[in-house]
Amino acid sequence: MITTQNLVRRYGDFTAVNNVSFTAEPGRVTGFLGPNGAGKSTTMRVLTGLTPATSGSATVLGKPFKELVNPGRHVGVLLDASAQHNGRTGREVLMISAKTMGLPAKRVDHMMDVVGLTQKEGKRRLGNYSLGMRQRLGLANALMGDPRVLILDEPANGLDPAGIRWMRSLLGSYADQGGTVLLSSHLLNEIERIADDILVIGNGEIVARGTKEELLRPNGTVVKTPNSDVLTEALTSAGLAFTVTGDGGLHVEAEPTDVGVLAANNRVVLSELRPGDNQGLEEMFLNLTASNARTEAAA
Ligand code: ADP
């Protein structure tokens, strides 16, 4: 379990993270989605004790990260896959982690298998690794101590679609065994593919949260009829909100079945009845990205 409560992190008079409260639950992959500069890394750095909070709290497994003894055995962290020294081999990086945590060399070989790095690749220096290979190595490192919590900043960056599918399956089975995963991305389609729960952050604030199904649920109902006067009257008396769409249809804030039943009860003929387009999250995200781009351009 990961919890933040009213978390604030300021740099001078700039507020990078503003009053952020959330919980990432065991057994779930929680996606932390926001455009570049939204405050994802800062939140994760506070969660992992690398940056102090200005105010509020951040705990992992009920404690501030710094109070965890041998933290790698409890929390796997991947914050910046490029941060390792280019002259080291992949296997050396993993051996150092294993030694720090008091684990045997065979754990390193096992983790390389889990993330699909061959022994030959393990002997190559990181300077020759692709970003995707670095992400796999970073994940092996994070999983090394068999932790109950994973905190991963942009782990899918640099992975191709097959790599993203692989990560979904790895993290999905980790969560199925009771693990907690908090994973960030600036790409909606990555989060859609990998996460069960979604937190959306923009300009340092949480702007939406929910399960993937809730946030991506089709948005209302689109209906078309030659008897639009009768239908709009029936919708109004039933207390269902609607708007008239550009092409002469209606967009109703209700489930298609409810609209269909209402139409049938009022003997209204329908020429079209379907779930509304699922643009809620995508539109919100595009707006956030655009507002962030403006903020960056102005800076
Ligand atoms: P994200 O991970 O969502 O891309 P960050 O958490 O890295 O966003 O950054 C959030 C904001 O905080 C950005 O505007 C960034 O420039 C600013 N920021 C991050 N770290 C520092 C720092 N050490 N000093 C000043 N500003 C910072």
Side-chain angles (χ1 to χ4, degrees):
M1 167 103 90
I2 299 171
T3 305
T4 71
Q5 230 166 8
N6 304 112
L7 190 68
V8 176
R9 171 65 206 187
R10 289 196 193 96
Y11 293 106
D13 50 12
F14 175 75
T15 306
V17 172
N18 192 11
N19 212 24
V20 163
S21 302
F22 68 82
T23 300
E25 304 279 353
R28 311 281 293 173
V29 176
T30 301
F32 196 22
L33 171 69
N36 287 326
K40 305 179 297 295
S41 302
T42 305
T43 304
M44 289 179 150
R45 289 174 64 80
V46 174
L47 272 168
T48 52
L50 292 171
T51 303
T54 304
S55 61
S57 71
T59 59
V60 183
L61 296 166
K63 287 185 183 168
F65 186 87
K66 286 197 162 167
E67 289 178 18
L68 297 169
V69 179
N70 203 349
R73 302 298 291 264
H74 306 286
V75 190
V77 178
L78 170 56
L79 289 190
D80 183 354
S82 325
Q84 302 282 357
H85 192 287
N86 275 342
R88 289 217 170 98
T89 69
R91 198 161 196 290
E92 278 166 3
V93 168
L94 297 180
M95 277 306 292
I96 293 167
S97 284
K99 283 205 173 129
T100 315
M101 286 184 258
L103 297 168
K106 67 174 195 285
R107 179 76 186 159
V108 169
D109 296 318
H110 173 65
M111 289 323 303
M112 284 174 54
D113 276 352
V114 168
V115 301
L117 283 175
T118 63
Q119 286 297 329
K120 201 170 156 201
E121 287 168 330
K123 287 185 189 136
R124 274 162 60 183
R125 292 186 197 285
L126 296 200
N128 300 320
Y129 271 36
S130 66
L131 185 52
M133 285 167 77
R134 283 169 188 260
Q135 299 285 24
R136 286 173 189 262
L137 184 74
L139 262 180
N141 213 353
L143 287 163
M144 179 72 71
D146 195 19
R148 283 153 62 202
V149 173
L150 285 177
I151 298 179
L152 312 171
D153 197 4
E154 300 272 359
N157 200 3
L159 294 183
D160 57 16
I164 290 178
R165 202 176 319 130
W166 164 81
M167 183 173 286
R168 160 75 242 182
S169 122
L170 180 77
L171 298 180
S173 49
Y174 174 84
D176 287 346
Q177 289 159 34
T180 304
V181 183
L182 179 67
L183 155 156
S184 74
S185 173
H186 64 289
L187 298 174
L188 176 60
N189 70 358
E190 272 178 19
I191 291 287
E192 266 179 38
R193 283 187 214 169
I194 301 178
D196 303 312
D197 295 327
I198 302 180
L199 293 164
V200 187
I201 185 169
N203 295 315
E205 297 184 10
I206 301 289
V207 292
R209 70 181 79 215
T211 63
K212 180 163 65 182
E213 289 71 27
E214 281 164 0
L215 289 180
L216 299 178
R217 187 163 37 208
N219 173 19
T221 298
V222 171
V223 60
K224 280 189 190 162
T225 168
N227 317 114
S228 88
D229 288 353
V230 184
L231 184 61
T232 52
E233 214 178 295
L235 289 168
T236 308
S237 358
L240 296 180
F242 62 89
T243 48
V244 180
T245 60
D247 54 0
L250 299 173
H251 181 267
V252 186
E253 285 176 29
E255 295 296 317
T257 314
D258 298 333
V259 177
V261 167
L262 189 76
N265 289 344
N266 287 276
R267 305 178 65 81
V268 173
V269 173
L270 298 183
S271 53
E272 189 174 339
L273 178 71
R274 64 176 171 83
D277 299 324
N278 158 26
Q279 282 177 344
L281 186 60
E282 191 165 354
E283 216 155 87
M284 173 201 290
F285 191 62
L286 283 175
N287 287 338
L288 275 181
T289 311
S291 85
N292 238 64
R294 276 198 296 275
T295 318
E296 276 170 20

